[in-house]
Amino acid sequence: MAKACSSGFAKLKAAGLDDVDSAIVMKSFIDEARDDADWYANPALVKSCFSQVPRIQKNLELIYGPSVAPVKQVIEP
């Protein structure tokens, strides 16, 4: 995923997008490619893509909130 994201970030930069727009577009691309937005709840996936461009990751978190794994709730009988 890191390699694909790197290529995507390079194309977005070449197109002249700023960090905020790049965060929104990249998340949208990944949402579409994965056919849902559940990937964002996996901090390891988010880090593998966005940690290479920390300022875009910061904007991503400002817009969509931090990536956190869902809390597993145990229901006792």
Side-chain angles (χ1 to χ4, degrees):
M1 183 154 173
K3 186 176 178 181
C5 288
S6 178
S7 176
F9 288 128
K11 291 179 184 194
L12 295 174
K13 183 177 181 178
L17 271 70
D18 65 16
D19 292 345
V20 172
D21 290 336
S22 291
I24 294 167
V25 170
M26 185 61 83
K27 183 180 181 304
S28 297
F29 283 160
I30 298 170
D31 290 352
E32 287 296 315
R34 296 184 66 91
D35 201 28
D36 65 40
D38 292 344
W39 70 274
Y40 192 70
N42 183 334
L45 284 177
V46 174
K47 184 178 179 179
S48 73
C49 181
F50 288 89
S51 67
Q52 58 191 302
V53 190
R55 51 188 201 283
I56 293 177
Q57 183 175 3
K58 180 181 176 188
N59 283 300
L60 180 77
E61 292 174 355
L62 288 172
I63 297 165
Y64 298 104
S67 172
V68 293
V71 175
K72 293 183 181 180
Q73 196 172 30
V74 176
I75 300 174
E76 296 184 24

Short mmCIF file of all heavy atoms in Angstrom, two decimals:
data_model
loop_
_atom_site.label_atom_id
_atom_site.label_comp_id
_atom_site.label_asym_id
_atom_site.label_seq_id
_atom_site.Cartn_x
_atom_site.Cartn_y
_atom_site.Cartn_z
N MET A 1 0.83 -1.19 0.00
CA MET A 1 0.00 0.00 0.00
C MET A 1 0.88 1.25 0.00
O MET A 1 0.53 2.24 -0.64
CB MET A 1 -0.91 -0.01 1.22
CG MET A 1 -1.85 1.15 1.25
SD MET A 1 -3.31 0.77 2.19
CE MET A 1 -4.12 2.30 2.25
N ALA A 2 2.00 1.21 0.69
CA ALA A 2 2.88 2.38 0.75
C ALA A 2 3.37 2.79 -0.62
O ALA A 2 3.43 3.98 -0.94
CB ALA A 2 4.06 2.10 1.68
N LYS A 3 3.68 1.82 -1.46
CA LYS A 3 4.17 2.12 -2.81
C LYS A 3 3.08 2.79 -3.65
O LYS A 3 3.33 3.76 -4.35
CB LYS A 3 4.67 0.83 -3.48
CG LYS A 3 5.32 1.06 -4.80
CD LYS A 3 5.87 -0.25 -5.36
CE LYS A 3 6.49 -0.03 -6.73
NZ LYS A 3 7.00 -1.27 -7.29
N ALA A 4 1.87 2.25 -3.58
CA ALA A 4 0.75 2.84 -4.33
C ALA A 4 0.45 4.25 -3.84
O ALA A 4 0.20 5.15 -4.64
CB ALA A 4 -0.48 1.95 -4.20
N CYS A 5 0.51 4.44 -2.53
CA CYS A 5 0.27 5.78 -1.97
C CYS A 5 1.34 6.76 -2.40
O CYS A 5 1.04 7.91 -2.73
CB CYS A 5 0.18 5.71 -0.45
SG CYS A 5 -1.32 4.91 0.14
N SER A 6 2.58 6.31 -2.41
CA SER A 6 3.68 7.17 -2.84
C SER A 6 3.45 7.67 -4.26
O SER A 6 3.62 8.85 -4.56
CB SER A 6 5.00 6.42 -2.74
OG SER A 6 6.05 7.23 -3.19
N SER A 7 3.04 6.76 -5.12
CA SER A 7 2.74 7.13 -6.51
C SER A 7 1.57 8.13 -6.56
O SER A 7 1.61 9.11 -7.30
CB SER A 7 2.40 5.88 -7.31
OG SER A 7 2.02 6.19 -8.62
N GLY A 8 0.55 7.87 -5.76
CA GLY A 8 -0.59 8.78 -5.72
C GLY A 8 -0.22 10.16 -5.23
O GLY A 8 -0.64 11.17 -5.82
N PHE A 9 0.58 10.23 -4.18
CA PHE A 9 1.00 11.53 -3.66
C PHE A 9 1.81 12.30 -4.70
O PHE A 9 1.67 13.51 -4.84
CB PHE A 9 1.81 11.38 -2.37
CG PHE A 9 0.99 10.98 -1.18
CD1 PHE A 9 1.34 9.89 -0.40
CD2 PHE A 9 -0.15 11.69 -0.82
CE1 PHE A 9 0.60 9.52 0.70
CE2 PHE A 9 -0.91 11.33 0.28
CZ PHE A 9 -0.53 10.23 1.04
N ALA A 10 2.67 11.60 -5.43
CA ALA A 10 3.48 12.25 -6.47
C ALA A 10 2.58 12.84 -7.55
O ALA A 10 2.80 13.96 -8.02
CB ALA A 10 4.47 11.26 -7.07
N LYS A 11 1.55 12.11 -7.94
CA LYS A 11 0.63 12.59 -8.99
C LYS A 11 -0.19 13.77 -8.50
O LYS A 11 -0.44 14.72 -9.25
CB LYS A 11 -0.26 11.45 -9.47
CG LYS A 11 0.52 10.42 -10.25
CD LYS A 11 -0.32 9.29 -10.72
CE LYS A 11 0.62 8.29 -11.40
NZ LYS A 11 -0.06 7.31 -12.16
N LEU A 12 -0.61 13.72 -7.24
CA LEU A 12 -1.38 14.83 -6.70
C LEU A 12 -0.53 16.09 -6.59
O LEU A 12 -1.00 17.19 -6.88
CB LEU A 12 -1.97 14.46 -5.33
CG LEU A 12 -3.02 13.34 -5.35
CD1 LEU A 12 -3.42 12.97 -3.94
CD2 LEU A 12 -4.22 13.73 -6.18
N LYS A 13 0.73 15.92 -6.19
CA LYS A 13 1.64 17.06 -6.11
C LYS A 13 1.88 17.65 -7.50
O LYS A 13 1.86 18.87 -7.68
CB LYS A 13 2.96 16.64 -5.48
CG LYS A 13 3.92 17.79 -5.29
CD LYS A 13 5.19 17.34 -4.59
CE LYS A 13 6.10 18.55 -4.40
NZ LYS A 13 7.33 18.18 -3.68
N ALA A 14 2.08 16.77 -8.48
CA ALA A 14 2.30 17.24 -9.86
C ALA A 14 1.08 17.98 -10.41
O ALA A 14 1.22 18.88 -11.23
CB ALA A 14 2.65 16.06 -10.76
N ALA A 15 -0.10 17.60 -9.92
CA ALA A 15 -1.33 18.26 -10.36
C ALA A 15 -1.54 19.59 -9.64
O ALA A 15 -2.47 20.33 -9.98
CB ALA A 15 -2.53 17.34 -10.12
N GLY A 16 -0.69 19.88 -8.65
CA GLY A 16 -0.77 21.16 -7.96
C GLY A 16 -1.69 21.19 -6.76
O GLY A 16 -2.01 22.28 -6.27
N LEU A 17 -2.12 20.05 -6.26
CA LEU A 17 -3.01 20.05 -5.10
C LEU A 17 -2.23 20.38 -3.83
O LEU A 17 -1.08 19.97 -3.67
CB LEU A 17 -3.67 18.68 -4.94
CG LEU A 17 -5.00 18.50 -5.68
CD1 LEU A 17 -4.77 18.44 -7.17
CD2 LEU A 17 -5.71 17.27 -5.20
N ASP A 18 -2.87 21.12 -2.95
CA ASP A 18 -2.22 21.43 -1.66
C ASP A 18 -2.43 20.25 -0.71
O ASP A 18 -3.06 19.25 -1.05
CB ASP A 18 -2.75 22.74 -1.09
CG ASP A 18 -4.23 22.71 -0.72
OD1 ASP A 18 -4.83 21.61 -0.60
OD2 ASP A 18 -4.81 23.78 -0.53
N ASP A 19 -1.90 20.37 0.51
CA ASP A 19 -1.94 19.27 1.46
C ASP A 19 -3.36 18.89 1.87
O ASP A 19 -3.67 17.71 2.03
CB ASP A 19 -1.12 19.61 2.71
CG ASP A 19 0.37 19.69 2.42
OD1 ASP A 19 0.80 19.23 1.34
OD2 ASP A 19 1.10 20.23 3.27
N VAL A 20 -4.22 19.88 2.06
CA VAL A 20 -5.60 19.60 2.46
C VAL A 20 -6.32 18.85 1.36
O VAL A 20 -6.95 17.80 1.60
CB VAL A 20 -6.35 20.91 2.82
CG1 VAL A 20 -7.83 20.65 3.04
CG2 VAL A 20 -5.73 21.56 4.03
N ASP A 21 -6.24 19.34 0.13
CA ASP A 21 -6.90 18.68 -0.98
C ASP A 21 -6.31 17.30 -1.22
O ASP A 21 -7.04 16.35 -1.54
CB ASP A 21 -6.79 19.52 -2.25
CG ASP A 21 -7.64 20.78 -2.19
OD1 ASP A 21 -8.63 20.80 -1.41
OD2 ASP A 21 -7.33 21.75 -2.89
N SER A 22 -5.01 17.15 -1.06
CA SER A 22 -4.36 15.85 -1.25
C SER A 22 -4.87 14.84 -0.23
O SER A 22 -5.09 13.67 -0.56
CB SER A 22 -2.84 15.97 -1.14
OG SER A 22 -2.34 16.70 -2.23
N ALA A 23 -5.08 15.27 1.01
CA ALA A 23 -5.61 14.37 2.04
C ALA A 23 -7.01 13.90 1.67
O ALA A 23 -7.30 12.70 1.75
CB ALA A 23 -5.63 15.09 3.40
N ILE A 24 -7.84 14.81 1.23
CA ILE A 24 -9.22 14.46 0.88
C ILE A 24 -9.25 13.55 -0.34
O ILE A 24 -9.95 12.52 -0.35
CB ILE A 24 -10.05 15.74 0.62
CG1 ILE A 24 -10.20 16.54 1.91
CG2 ILE A 24 -11.41 15.41 0.02
CD1 ILE A 24 -10.71 17.96 1.72
N VAL A 25 -8.50 13.90 -1.37
CA VAL A 25 -8.50 13.11 -2.60
C VAL A 25 -7.92 11.72 -2.36
O VAL A 25 -8.49 10.71 -2.80
CB VAL A 25 -7.74 13.83 -3.73
CG1 VAL A 25 -7.53 12.94 -4.93
CG2 VAL A 25 -8.49 15.10 -4.14
N MET A 26 -6.82 11.64 -1.62
CA MET A 26 -6.20 10.33 -1.39
C MET A 26 -7.13 9.42 -0.59
O MET A 26 -7.29 8.25 -0.89
CB MET A 26 -4.85 10.48 -0.69
CG MET A 26 -4.12 9.17 -0.54
SD MET A 26 -3.73 8.34 -2.10
CE MET A 26 -2.25 9.22 -2.52
N LYS A 27 -7.78 9.97 0.45
CA LYS A 27 -8.73 9.15 1.21
C LYS A 27 -9.86 8.69 0.31
O LYS A 27 -10.27 7.53 0.36
CB LYS A 27 -9.27 9.90 2.42
CG LYS A 27 -10.21 8.98 3.23
CD LYS A 27 -10.78 9.66 4.44
CE LYS A 27 -11.69 8.76 5.25
NZ LYS A 27 -12.81 8.17 4.50
N SER A 28 -10.36 9.57 -0.53
CA SER A 28 -11.44 9.19 -1.44
C SER A 28 -11.00 8.10 -2.41
O SER A 28 -11.76 7.16 -2.68
CB SER A 28 -11.92 10.41 -2.23
OG SER A 28 -12.47 11.36 -1.37
N PHE A 29 -9.79 8.21 -2.93
CA PHE A 29 -9.26 7.18 -3.83
C PHE A 29 -9.21 5.83 -3.12
O PHE A 29 -9.62 4.81 -3.67
CB PHE A 29 -7.85 7.52 -4.30
CG PHE A 29 -7.77 8.58 -5.38
CD1 PHE A 29 -6.57 9.25 -5.58
CD2 PHE A 29 -8.83 8.89 -6.18
CE1 PHE A 29 -6.46 10.22 -6.57
CE2 PHE A 29 -8.75 9.87 -7.17
CZ PHE A 29 -7.56 10.53 -7.36
N ILE A 30 -8.69 5.83 -1.90
CA ILE A 30 -8.57 4.57 -1.17
C ILE A 30 -9.95 4.01 -0.81
O ILE A 30 -10.19 2.80 -0.92
CB ILE A 30 -7.69 4.74 0.09
CG1 ILE A 30 -6.28 5.16 -0.32
CG2 ILE A 30 -7.64 3.45 0.90
CD1 ILE A 30 -5.40 5.60 0.83
N ASP A 31 -10.87 4.88 -0.40
CA ASP A 31 -12.24 4.44 -0.12
C ASP A 31 -12.83 3.73 -1.33
O ASP A 31 -13.43 2.65 -1.22
CB ASP A 31 -13.15 5.63 0.23
CG ASP A 31 -12.85 6.26 1.58
OD1 ASP A 31 -12.04 5.70 2.36
OD2 ASP A 31 -13.44 7.34 1.84
N GLU A 32 -12.67 4.32 -2.50
CA GLU A 32 -13.20 3.73 -3.73
C GLU A 32 -12.48 2.44 -4.10
O GLU A 32 -13.12 1.46 -4.49
CB GLU A 32 -13.11 4.73 -4.90
CG GLU A 32 -14.10 5.86 -4.83
CD GLU A 32 -15.53 5.38 -4.93
OE1 GLU A 32 -15.84 4.53 -5.80
OE2 GLU A 32 -16.36 5.84 -4.13
N ALA A 33 -11.17 2.43 -3.98
CA ALA A 33 -10.40 1.24 -4.34
C ALA A 33 -10.75 0.06 -3.43
O ALA A 33 -10.78 -1.09 -3.89
CB ALA A 33 -8.90 1.53 -4.26
N ARG A 34 -11.01 0.33 -2.18
CA ARG A 34 -11.32 -0.73 -1.22
C ARG A 34 -12.83 -0.97 -1.13
O ARG A 34 -13.27 -1.86 -0.42
CB ARG A 34 -10.74 -0.40 0.13
CG ARG A 34 -9.20 -0.34 0.09
CD ARG A 34 -8.59 -0.11 1.44
NE ARG A 34 -8.80 -1.22 2.34
CZ ARG A 34 -7.97 -2.26 2.49
NH1 ARG A 34 -6.87 -2.31 1.77
NH2 ARG A 34 -8.24 -3.21 3.35
N ASP A 35 -13.62 -0.18 -1.80
CA ASP A 35 -15.08 -0.29 -1.86
C ASP A 35 -15.75 -0.02 -0.51
O ASP A 35 -16.86 -0.46 -0.27
CB ASP A 35 -15.49 -1.65 -2.41
CG ASP A 35 -16.91 -1.64 -2.95
OD1 ASP A 35 -17.38 -0.58 -3.39
OD2 ASP A 35 -17.56 -2.71 -2.94
N ASP A 36 -15.05 0.66 0.39
CA ASP A 36 -15.64 1.13 1.64
C ASP A 36 -14.63 2.02 2.36
O ASP A 36 -13.49 2.13 1.93
CB ASP A 36 -16.09 -0.02 2.55
CG ASP A 36 -14.95 -0.89 3.05
OD1 ASP A 36 -13.88 -0.35 3.40
OD2 ASP A 36 -15.12 -2.12 3.11
N ALA A 37 -15.07 2.61 3.44
CA ALA A 37 -14.19 3.50 4.20
C ALA A 37 -13.70 2.86 5.49
O ALA A 37 -13.08 3.52 6.31
CB ALA A 37 -14.91 4.81 4.49
N ASP A 38 -13.97 1.57 5.68
CA ASP A 38 -13.58 0.88 6.91
C ASP A 38 -12.07 0.83 7.12
O ASP A 38 -11.61 0.70 8.25
CB ASP A 38 -14.14 -0.55 6.94
CG ASP A 38 -15.65 -0.57 7.07
OD1 ASP A 38 -16.25 0.46 7.43
OD2 ASP A 38 -16.23 -1.64 6.79
N TRP A 39 -11.29 0.92 6.05
CA TRP A 39 -9.84 0.87 6.17
C TRP A 39 -9.32 1.96 7.09
O TRP A 39 -8.31 1.80 7.75
CB TRP A 39 -9.17 1.00 4.79
CG TRP A 39 -9.31 2.38 4.21
CD1 TRP A 39 -10.36 2.86 3.49
CD2 TRP A 39 -8.40 3.46 4.36
NE1 TRP A 39 -10.15 4.19 3.17
CE2 TRP A 39 -8.95 4.58 3.70
CE3 TRP A 39 -7.16 3.60 4.99
CZ2 TRP A 39 -8.31 5.81 3.64
CZ3 TRP A 39 -6.52 4.84 4.94
CH2 TRP A 39 -7.10 5.92 4.26
N TYR A 40 -10.05 3.08 7.16
CA TYR A 40 -9.58 4.21 7.96
C TYR A 40 -9.61 3.90 9.46
O TYR A 40 -8.92 4.56 10.23
CB TYR A 40 -10.41 5.46 7.64
CG TYR A 40 -9.79 6.71 8.22
CD1 TYR A 40 -8.61 7.22 7.68
CD2 TYR A 40 -10.34 7.37 9.30
CE1 TYR A 40 -8.01 8.36 8.21
CE2 TYR A 40 -9.76 8.50 9.84
CZ TYR A 40 -8.59 8.99 9.29
OH TYR A 40 -7.98 10.11 9.82
N ALA A 41 -10.34 2.89 9.86
CA ALA A 41 -10.38 2.49 11.27
C ALA A 41 -9.20 1.59 11.63
O ALA A 41 -9.09 1.15 12.76
CB ALA A 41 -11.68 1.77 11.58
N ASN A 42 -8.31 1.35 10.67
CA ASN A 42 -7.12 0.53 10.92
C ASN A 42 -5.89 1.45 10.91
O ASN A 42 -5.39 1.80 9.84
CB ASN A 42 -7.01 -0.55 9.85
CG ASN A 42 -5.84 -1.48 10.08
OD1 ASN A 42 -4.84 -1.13 10.71
ND2 ASN A 42 -5.96 -2.68 9.54
N PRO A 43 -5.41 1.85 12.09
CA PRO A 43 -4.29 2.79 12.15
C PRO A 43 -3.05 2.31 11.39
O PRO A 43 -2.31 3.13 10.84
CB PRO A 43 -4.00 2.92 13.65
CG PRO A 43 -5.29 2.56 14.31
CD PRO A 43 -5.92 1.53 13.43
N ALA A 44 -2.81 1.01 11.32
CA ALA A 44 -1.64 0.49 10.60
C ALA A 44 -1.75 0.77 9.11
O ALA A 44 -0.76 1.13 8.46
CB ALA A 44 -1.47 -1.00 10.86
N LEU A 45 -2.94 0.64 8.54
CA LEU A 45 -3.14 0.94 7.11
C LEU A 45 -2.96 2.43 6.84
O LEU A 45 -2.33 2.82 5.86
CB LEU A 45 -4.52 0.50 6.65
CG LEU A 45 -4.73 -0.98 6.42
CD1 LEU A 45 -6.18 -1.27 6.04
CD2 LEU A 45 -3.80 -1.51 5.35
N VAL A 46 -3.52 3.24 7.72
CA VAL A 46 -3.40 4.69 7.55
C VAL A 46 -1.93 5.09 7.63
O VAL A 46 -1.44 5.84 6.79
CB VAL A 46 -4.24 5.44 8.61
CG1 VAL A 46 -4.00 6.94 8.52
CG2 VAL A 46 -5.72 5.12 8.44
N LYS A 47 -1.23 4.54 8.60
CA LYS A 47 0.18 4.86 8.77
C LYS A 47 1.00 4.40 7.57
O LYS A 47 1.89 5.12 7.11
CB LYS A 47 0.72 4.22 10.05
CG LYS A 47 2.15 4.57 10.34
CD LYS A 47 2.63 3.95 11.64
CE LYS A 47 4.08 4.32 11.87
NZ LYS A 47 4.59 3.76 13.11
N SER A 48 0.69 3.21 7.04
CA SER A 48 1.47 2.70 5.91
C SER A 48 1.36 3.60 4.69
O SER A 48 2.28 3.66 3.88
CB SER A 48 1.05 1.27 5.55
OG SER A 48 -0.20 1.24 4.91
N CYS A 49 0.27 4.30 4.57
CA CYS A 49 0.09 5.20 3.43
C CYS A 49 0.54 6.63 3.75
O CYS A 49 1.33 7.20 3.03
CB CYS A 49 -1.37 5.21 3.00
SG CYS A 49 -1.72 6.26 1.58
N PHE A 50 0.04 7.18 4.83
CA PHE A 50 0.18 8.61 5.07
C PHE A 50 1.41 9.02 5.87
O PHE A 50 1.76 10.19 5.87
CB PHE A 50 -1.09 9.15 5.74
CG PHE A 50 -2.26 9.22 4.81
CD1 PHE A 50 -3.11 8.14 4.65
CD2 PHE A 50 -2.51 10.36 4.07
CE1 PHE A 50 -4.19 8.19 3.79
CE2 PHE A 50 -3.57 10.43 3.19
CZ PHE A 50 -4.41 9.34 3.05
N SER A 51 2.08 8.09 6.55
CA SER A 51 3.22 8.50 7.36
C SER A 51 4.38 9.02 6.51
O SER A 51 5.23 9.75 7.01
CB SER A 51 3.69 7.35 8.25
OG SER A 51 4.22 6.30 7.47
N GLN A 52 4.38 8.68 5.23
CA GLN A 52 5.44 9.17 4.35
C GLN A 52 5.29 10.66 4.05
O GLN A 52 6.24 11.30 3.58
CB GLN A 52 5.49 8.35 3.07
CG GLN A 52 4.19 8.34 2.28
CD GLN A 52 4.19 7.32 1.18
OE1 GLN A 52 5.05 7.37 0.32
NE2 GLN A 52 3.24 6.39 1.21
N VAL A 53 4.12 11.22 4.31
CA VAL A 53 3.87 12.65 4.12
C VAL A 53 3.13 13.16 5.36
O VAL A 53 1.91 13.33 5.34
CB VAL A 53 3.04 12.90 2.83
CG1 VAL A 53 3.01 14.39 2.51
CG2 VAL A 53 3.58 12.13 1.65
N PRO A 54 3.88 13.40 6.46
CA PRO A 54 3.25 13.76 7.73
C PRO A 54 2.32 14.96 7.68
O PRO A 54 1.29 14.99 8.36
CB PRO A 54 4.44 14.03 8.66
CG PRO A 54 5.58 13.30 8.04
CD PRO A 54 5.32 13.31 6.56
N ARG A 55 2.62 15.96 6.88
CA ARG A 55 1.75 17.14 6.85
C ARG A 55 0.40 16.81 6.20
O ARG A 55 -0.62 17.38 6.58
CB ARG A 55 2.43 18.31 6.16
CG ARG A 55 3.01 18.04 4.85
CD ARG A 55 3.84 19.17 4.28
NE ARG A 55 3.92 18.99 2.86
CZ ARG A 55 4.69 18.10 2.27
NH1 ARG A 55 5.48 17.34 2.98
NH2 ARG A 55 4.68 17.95 0.96
N ILE A 56 0.38 15.87 5.26
CA ILE A 56 -0.90 15.44 4.68
C ILE A 56 -1.64 14.57 5.69
O ILE A 56 -2.85 14.69 5.84
CB ILE A 56 -0.68 14.72 3.33
CG1 ILE A 56 -0.14 15.71 2.29
CG2 ILE A 56 -1.99 14.08 2.85
CD1 ILE A 56 0.18 15.11 0.95
N GLN A 57 -0.91 13.72 6.42
CA GLN A 57 -1.55 12.90 7.45
C GLN A 57 -2.17 13.79 8.53
O GLN A 57 -3.27 13.52 9.00
CB GLN A 57 -0.54 11.94 8.07
CG GLN A 57 -1.17 11.02 9.11
CD GLN A 57 -0.21 9.97 9.63
OE1 GLN A 57 0.96 9.93 9.28
NE2 GLN A 57 -0.71 9.11 10.48
N LYS A 58 -1.49 14.85 8.89
CA LYS A 58 -2.03 15.78 9.89
C LYS A 58 -3.35 16.38 9.41
O LYS A 58 -4.32 16.46 10.16
CB LYS A 58 -1.02 16.89 10.17
CG LYS A 58 -1.49 17.89 11.19
CD LYS A 58 -0.47 18.99 11.42
CE LYS A 58 -1.03 20.03 12.37
NZ LYS A 58 -0.16 21.19 12.49
N ASN A 59 -3.39 16.79 8.14
CA ASN A 59 -4.63 17.34 7.59
C ASN A 59 -5.72 16.28 7.51
O ASN A 59 -6.89 16.58 7.78
CB ASN A 59 -4.38 17.95 6.21
CG ASN A 59 -3.71 19.29 6.32
OD1 ASN A 59 -4.24 20.21 6.91
ND2 ASN A 59 -2.51 19.41 5.78
N LEU A 60 -5.35 15.07 7.17
CA LEU A 60 -6.32 13.97 7.13
C LEU A 60 -6.98 13.81 8.49
O LEU A 60 -8.22 13.70 8.58
CB LEU A 60 -5.59 12.67 6.72
CG LEU A 60 -6.43 11.43 6.62
CD1 LEU A 60 -7.25 11.46 5.33
CD2 LEU A 60 -5.55 10.19 6.63
N GLU A 61 -6.17 13.83 9.55
CA GLU A 61 -6.71 13.66 10.90
C GLU A 61 -7.53 14.87 11.35
O GLU A 61 -8.50 14.72 12.08
CB GLU A 61 -5.58 13.38 11.87
CG GLU A 61 -4.96 12.01 11.63
CD GLU A 61 -3.73 11.74 12.47
OE1 GLU A 61 -3.27 12.65 13.20
OE2 GLU A 61 -3.23 10.61 12.40
N LEU A 62 -7.15 16.06 10.90
CA LEU A 62 -7.95 17.25 11.23
C LEU A 62 -9.32 17.19 10.57
O LEU A 62 -10.32 17.62 11.15
CB LEU A 62 -7.22 18.52 10.79
CG LEU A 62 -6.00 18.92 11.62
CD1 LEU A 62 -5.27 20.09 10.95
CD2 LEU A 62 -6.41 19.30 13.03
N ILE A 63 -9.37 16.64 9.37
CA ILE A 63 -10.63 16.57 8.62
C ILE A 63 -11.50 15.41 9.08
O ILE A 63 -12.70 15.57 9.33
CB ILE A 63 -10.36 16.46 7.10
CG1 ILE A 63 -9.64 17.71 6.61
CG2 ILE A 63 -11.65 16.22 6.32
CD1 ILE A 63 -8.99 17.55 5.24
N TYR A 64 -10.91 14.21 9.19
CA TYR A 64 -11.67 12.99 9.45
C TYR A 64 -11.54 12.45 10.86
O TYR A 64 -12.17 11.45 11.20
CB TYR A 64 -11.26 11.90 8.46
CG TYR A 64 -11.55 12.28 7.03
CD1 TYR A 64 -10.53 12.68 6.18
CD2 TYR A 64 -12.85 12.25 6.52
CE1 TYR A 64 -10.78 13.05 4.87
CE2 TYR A 64 -13.12 12.63 5.22
CZ TYR A 64 -12.08 13.03 4.40
OH TYR A 64 -12.34 13.39 3.10
N GLY A 65 -10.71 13.09 11.68
CA GLY A 65 -10.46 12.58 13.02
C GLY A 65 -9.35 11.55 12.98
O GLY A 65 -8.98 11.05 11.92
N PRO A 66 -8.82 11.22 14.15
CA PRO A 66 -7.73 10.25 14.18
C PRO A 66 -8.23 8.85 13.82
O PRO A 66 -9.39 8.51 14.06
CB PRO A 66 -7.23 10.30 15.63
CG PRO A 66 -8.36 10.88 16.41
CD PRO A 66 -9.14 11.75 15.46
N SER A 67 -7.34 8.08 13.24
CA SER A 67 -7.66 6.70 12.91
C SER A 67 -7.51 5.86 14.16
O SER A 67 -6.43 5.79 14.75
CB SER A 67 -6.70 6.19 11.83
OG SER A 67 -6.89 4.81 11.63
N VAL A 68 -8.59 5.26 14.58
CA VAL A 68 -8.55 4.40 15.76
C VAL A 68 -9.30 3.11 15.47
O VAL A 68 -10.33 3.12 14.80
CB VAL A 68 -9.16 5.08 17.01
CG1 VAL A 68 -8.31 6.25 17.47
CG2 VAL A 68 -10.56 5.54 16.75
N ALA A 69 -8.73 2.03 15.96
CA ALA A 69 -9.38 0.73 15.80
C ALA A 69 -10.65 0.72 16.64
O ALA A 69 -10.68 1.26 17.73
CB ALA A 69 -8.43 -0.38 16.21
N PRO A 70 -11.70 0.09 16.11
CA PRO A 70 -12.93 0.03 16.89
C PRO A 70 -12.71 -0.77 18.17
O PRO A 70 -11.97 -1.74 18.19
CB PRO A 70 -13.92 -0.68 15.96
CG PRO A 70 -13.15 -1.20 14.83
CD PRO A 70 -11.81 -0.56 14.84
N VAL A 71 -13.38 -0.35 19.22
CA VAL A 71 -13.28 -1.04 20.50
C VAL A 71 -14.18 -2.28 20.44
O VAL A 71 -15.34 -2.20 20.08
CB VAL A 71 -13.73 -0.11 21.65
CG1 VAL A 71 -13.74 -0.84 22.97
CG2 VAL A 71 -12.86 1.11 21.70
N LYS A 72 -13.57 -3.41 20.77
CA LYS A 72 -14.36 -4.65 20.81
C LYS A 72 -15.07 -4.73 22.13
O LYS A 72 -14.46 -4.64 23.18
CB LYS A 72 -13.44 -5.85 20.61
CG LYS A 72 -12.84 -5.91 19.25
CD LYS A 72 -12.00 -7.14 19.08
CE LYS A 72 -11.39 -7.15 17.68
NZ LYS A 72 -10.56 -8.32 17.47
N GLN A 73 -16.35 -4.88 22.04
CA GLN A 73 -17.16 -4.93 23.23
C GLN A 73 -17.53 -6.38 23.53
O GLN A 73 -18.03 -7.09 22.66
CB GLN A 73 -18.42 -4.09 23.03
CG GLN A 73 -19.13 -3.75 24.28
CD GLN A 73 -20.25 -2.76 24.01
OE1 GLN A 73 -20.84 -2.74 22.92
NE2 GLN A 73 -20.57 -1.95 24.99
N VAL A 74 -17.26 -6.80 24.73
CA VAL A 74 -17.59 -8.16 25.15
C VAL A 74 -18.90 -8.11 25.91
O VAL A 74 -19.03 -7.38 26.91
CB VAL A 74 -16.47 -8.76 26.02
CG1 VAL A 74 -16.86 -10.13 26.52
CG2 VAL A 74 -15.16 -8.77 25.27
N ILE A 75 -19.82 -8.89 25.44
CA ILE A 75 -21.13 -8.95 26.12
C ILE A 75 -21.20 -10.27 26.86
O ILE A 75 -21.07 -11.35 26.27
CB ILE A 75 -22.29 -8.84 25.10
CG1 ILE A 75 -22.18 -7.52 24.36
CG2 ILE A 75 -23.61 -8.98 25.81
CD1 ILE A 75 -23.17 -7.36 23.23
N GLU A 76 -21.36 -10.17 28.15
CA GLU A 76 -21.44 -11.37 28.97
C GLU A 76 -22.88 -11.86 29.01
O GLU A 76 -23.81 -11.06 29.10
CB GLU A 76 -20.92 -11.09 30.37
CG GLU A 76 -19.46 -10.73 30.38
CD GLU A 76 -18.92 -10.54 31.78
OE1 GLU A 76 -19.51 -11.11 32.73
OE2 GLU A 76 -17.93 -9.83 31.92
N PRO A 77 -23.04 -13.20 28.96
CA PRO A 77 -24.42 -13.75 28.99
C PRO A 77 -25.09 -13.57 30.32
O PRO A 77 -24.59 -13.36 31.33
CB PRO A 77 -24.23 -15.22 28.68
CG PRO A 77 -22.78 -15.51 28.84
CD PRO A 77 -22.06 -14.21 28.85
#
